[in-house]
Amino acid sequence: MTTIQTVAFKDQKPGTSGLRKKTRVFMQPHYLENFVQAIFASIGGAKGKTFVVGGDGRFFNDRAVQVILRMAAANGAARVIVGQGGVLSTPAASNLIRQRGTDGGIILSASHNPGGEDEDFGIKFNMANGGPAPESVTEAMYEAASNLTHYEIAETQDIDLNTIGQSDIGGMAVEVVDSVADYAALMETLFDFDAIRAMFTGGFTMRFDAMCAVTGPYATEILENRLGAAPGTVTHGTPLPDFGGMHPDPNPTWAHELMAEMMGDDAPDFGAASDGDGDRNMVVGRGIYISPSDSLAVLAANAHLAPGYAKGIAGVARSMPTSAAVDRVAAAMGLQSYETPTGWKFFGNLLDAGKVTLCGEESFGTGSDHVREKDGLWAVLLWLNILAVRRQSVAAIMAEHFAKYGRNYYSRHDFETIESDKADSMMTALRDSLASLPGQEVEGMTISAADDFAYTDPVDASVSKKQGVRILFADGSRIVLRLSGTGTQGATLRLYLERYAETGLDSDPQEALAPVIRAAHKLARITEFTGRTEPDVVT
Ligand code: G16
């Protein structure tokens, strides 16, 4: 056991979901070690504690896990449970933290960001409830990292993480577990596997694009081995350190192979994709793309069709930029709907308090109280369970849903790698203009309110400010702007656009939203500040 003197890095500030940087930043001497020591400091030390450790298998995952194990041992941890090969999907890690009653877990992932030596890496801590550390803890991490002078590490050979079983570093137990088994068992408790299996036997076809990321083995085991989907249903199913060069972000832009197949002549009945660490999902029907906000609404309206939710749901929550489609379902069902800032960590208290059962975000995240992370495969299985019970096509389900609740046309436009000072200037100018906006007319729509979203947690009363600018119109349309907290280069401007319609339910979202898009560009002066006229990614 050694104490290493170090110099603090001043940039170790966790963002929306942990610390994300270029892989080479993490690979420089002491960088990872400093942050791991800061994690232990922020939770009152590691002595006597049990943790789960695993990551999405991207480049540097294997090295980082060995470092974390040696540091956990030197900091006095009692036990670390590791996924085989150092790999765990984020929802599987959340499940293990909860099932094994541990003190938390360290998850290595930069989620949907590309992987590789020249791409991105990330690390985050999840609490004993299985959910991402709240802001109070991530602020303590930043504080500790900013003032760090030394860290503790054991000098050992690498631990064999490929063999399931138990070993030891200086008195700390290292338990290597099957990465898939416990998660798959949990899914069997929530969904009617017999009904889904019968649907596949009856000729139902599906494509699941794992995008060479962590979900491949989970999806193959559950969809093909346990549910009887045809071999080959899962594509890009072997996880690779660089995700095979794919950008594992399940949206129409990056999951374009899946989109092309689903919009083609021989499309399967159902399609889905997942991201780097398995917490995101995109679902697609034959010839029809389902926006994440609409998917959340459909899942809320139909969750009772799956055994795990047959007793009904307690309430729903969505991040503020997510469309209000799920609010309409909640209102019709007499349920409370909560609006939180962006970041799954904000759902934790609501889930722990039993106030909500389902949560979702426009950023392709959907989940429930079965874990404390969003869960890509879970969402796919809930869709499959609903399809197996309703015996309708995805398109028919969506048409019925819109006819009943109306349609919240929705889109997100991303402007990536803008110079940070330009993006900041734009947001500052927009914030400064908010007070003068109500009453103004833009593109034939009257602004009814404009603010910078602030959230008071209904459970612990903690307050989070400056969570995104909202401009609301009298006709129910809405513009939201915020800067992403997950990027590693420059700034990414996210522009969220929404317009509610009770008729004309079949339009192209970009056409339905055209006046809202024009209004957003005028009000925020996007081109003037950033030089950008067109978004890089549209979802
Ligand atoms: C993370 C968070 C999500 C958030 C998303 C996008 O997801 O867990 O709650 O919606 O980032 O955040 P931003 O708009 O700040 O980039 P993931 O899948 O990247 O861990």
Side-chain angles (χ1 to χ4, degrees):
M1 305 292 174
T2 348
T3 302
I4 305 283
Q5 301 303 315
T6 186
V7 175
F9 293 92
K10 300 294 182 190
D11 66 343
Q12 296 194 322
K13 187 175 172 55
T16 309
S17 181
L19 186 68
R20 290 192 191 164
K21 299 281 176 196
K22 287 288 164 202
T23 310
R24 285 188 194 276
V25 172
F26 272 102
M27 289 168 71
Q28 64 184 303
H30 308 304
Y31 196 89
L32 171 71
E33 291 85 345
N34 276 20
F35 192 68
V36 171
Q37 192 65 49
I39 289 177
F40 291 145
S42 73
I43 56 166
K47 200 162 180 44
K49 292 183 178 170
T50 297
F51 300 110
V52 167
V53 174
D56 61 14
R58 68 179 60 221
F59 186 89
F60 195 54
N61 186 108
D62 50 355
R63 303 305 316 141
V65 171
Q66 297 287 347
V67 167
I68 293 166
L69 289 174
R70 294 206 293 267
M71 289 188 65
N75 280 275
R79 173 178 292 268
V80 174
I81 301 162
V82 197
Q84 195 173 13
V87 171
L88 284 171
S89 77
T90 291
S94 181
N95 178 47
L96 268 181
I97 292 169
R98 294 167 64 77
Q99 263 191 2
R100 298 290 302 270
T102 68
D103 297 287
I106 296 179
I107 302 176
L108 302 163
S109 172
S111 186
H112 54 289
N113 297 11
E117 198 166 5
D118 292 312
E119 299 293 352
D120 292 356
F121 192 78
I123 176 168
K124 68 173 179 170
F125 185 78
N126 280 29
M127 309 297 283
N129 73 346
E135 277 188 333
S136 56
V137 177
T138 56
E139 277 160 18
M141 275 174 209
Y142 180 43
E143 174 75 23
S146 302
N147 298 302
L148 206 75
T149 55
H150 60 274
Y151 60 83
E152 310 293 331
I153 191 159
E155 285 181 13
T156 64
Q157 299 296 319
D158 277 359
I159 296 286
D160 171 17
L161 298 178
N162 293 322
T163 313
I164 289 172
Q166 189 158 313
S167 55
D168 170 286
I169 305 180
M172 180 188 85
V174 178
E175 183 183 342
V176 179
V177 299
D178 185 298
S179 307
V180 176
D182 291 320
Y183 176 83
L186 174 67
M187 293 300 114
E188 294 224 27
T189 68
L190 298 174
F191 302 113
D192 187 344
F193 271 43
D194 289 339
I196 302 172
R197 200 178 296 114
M199 179 170 72
F200 278 118
T201 309
F204 182 88
T205 52
M206 175 176 179
R207 174 75 62 226
F208 183 96
D209 191 341
M211 303 188 84
C212 299
V214 79
T215 336
Y218 295 85
T220 305
E221 171 61 18
I222 294 173
L223 298 174
E224 296 187 11
N225 298 351
R226 299 197 186 194
L227 290 170
T233 293
V234 178
T235 51
H236 301 121
T238 304
L240 299 170
D242 65 349
F243 305 130
M246 292 182 90
H247 185 158
D249 194 354
N251 64 40
T253 301
W254 293 113
H256 48 84
E257 277 184 45
L258 176 72
M259 286 300 286
E261 184 175 6
M262 295 307 298
M263 299 302 145
D265 290 340
D266 298 321
D269 295 301
F270 186 58
S274 193
D275 69 333
D277 61 333
D279 56 2
R280 296 185 176 206
N281 75 93
M282 175 176 81
V283 286
V284 199
R286 179 185 290 138
I288 180 171
Y289 162 70
I290 303 161
S291 87
S293 298
D294 288 336
S295 176
L296 174 64
V298 171
L299 295 182
N302 294 280
H304 61 279
L305 300 177
Y309 307 94
K311 292 194 188 117
I313 54 177
V316 294
R318 63 170 172 86
S319 64
M320 180 275 283
T322 304
S323 98
V326 73
D327 297 8
R328 297 180 187 282
V329 173
M333 295 169 81
L335 298 174
Q336 182 76 30
S337 175
Y338 295 85
E339 188 179 38
T340 64
T342 293
W344 204 263
K345 59 191 170 207
F346 292 104
F347 295 137
N349 278 349
L350 296 169
L351 291 162
D352 286 349
K355 289 182 180 296
V356 304
T357 307
L358 296 194
C359 314
E361 295 186 280
E362 50 65 40
S363 53
F364 296 84
T366 342
S368 87
D369 58 0
H370 68 292
V371 289
R372 293 294 180 275
E373 284 281 2
K374 52 191 186 278
D375 187 344
L377 254 179
W378 168 89
V380 170
L381 291 167
L382 182 48
W383 262 100
L384 286 172
N385 201 143
I386 292 165
L387 289 164
V389 174
R390 289 187 54 167
R391 295 164 183 272
Q392 288 170 293
S393 69
V394 173
I397 288 176
M398 293 314 296
E400 278 186 20
H401 187 90
F402 292 146
K404 183 167 178 186
Y405 298 100
R407 180 168 181 181
N408 288 71
Y409 281 105
Y410 186 83
S411 183
R412 185 178 100 186
H413 290 193
D414 288 343
F415 302 79
E416 296 178 342
T417 52
I418 302 173
E419 286 165 49
S420 293
D421 54 344
K422 291 183 178 171
D424 289 340
S425 304
M426 195 208 84
M427 290 302 290
T428 303
L430 182 61
R431 287 192 163 103
D432 289 346
S433 75
L434 290 178
S436 67
L437 293 184
Q440 280 190 32
E441 196 171 300
V442 201
E443 293 291 326
M445 305 177 300
T446 307
I447 299 174
S448 55
D451 68 2
D452 199 347
F453 182 59
Y455 178 66
T456 304
D457 187 295
V459 179
D460 66 13
S462 58
V463 176
S464 304
K465 292 185 176 160
K466 291 183 90 169
Q467 296 295 326
V469 169
R470 302 189 288 190
I471 301 169
L472 312 175
F473 295 90
D475 68 356
S477 300
R478 188 177 75 144
I479 295 167
V480 174
L481 293 105
R482 57 181 282 282
L483 300 182
S484 161
T486 57
T488 57
Q489 231 175 356
T492 294
L493 169 66
R494 301 212 194 280
L495 168 62
Y496 311 84
L497 306 141
E498 181 171 358
R499 183 181 190 184
Y500 179 65
E502 280 174 341
T503 55
L505 302 173
D506 287 328
S507 302
D508 173 78
Q510 301 307 318
E511 281 166 25
L513 288 164
V516 187
I517 296 169
R518 286 195 298 271
H521 278 263
K522 274 188 193 161
L523 291 166
R525 293 147 65 197
I526 294 173
T527 306
E528 182 185 328
F529 278 100
T530 69
R532 304 292 179 86
T533 52
E534 297 293 326
D536 299 290
V537 175
V538 172
T539 56

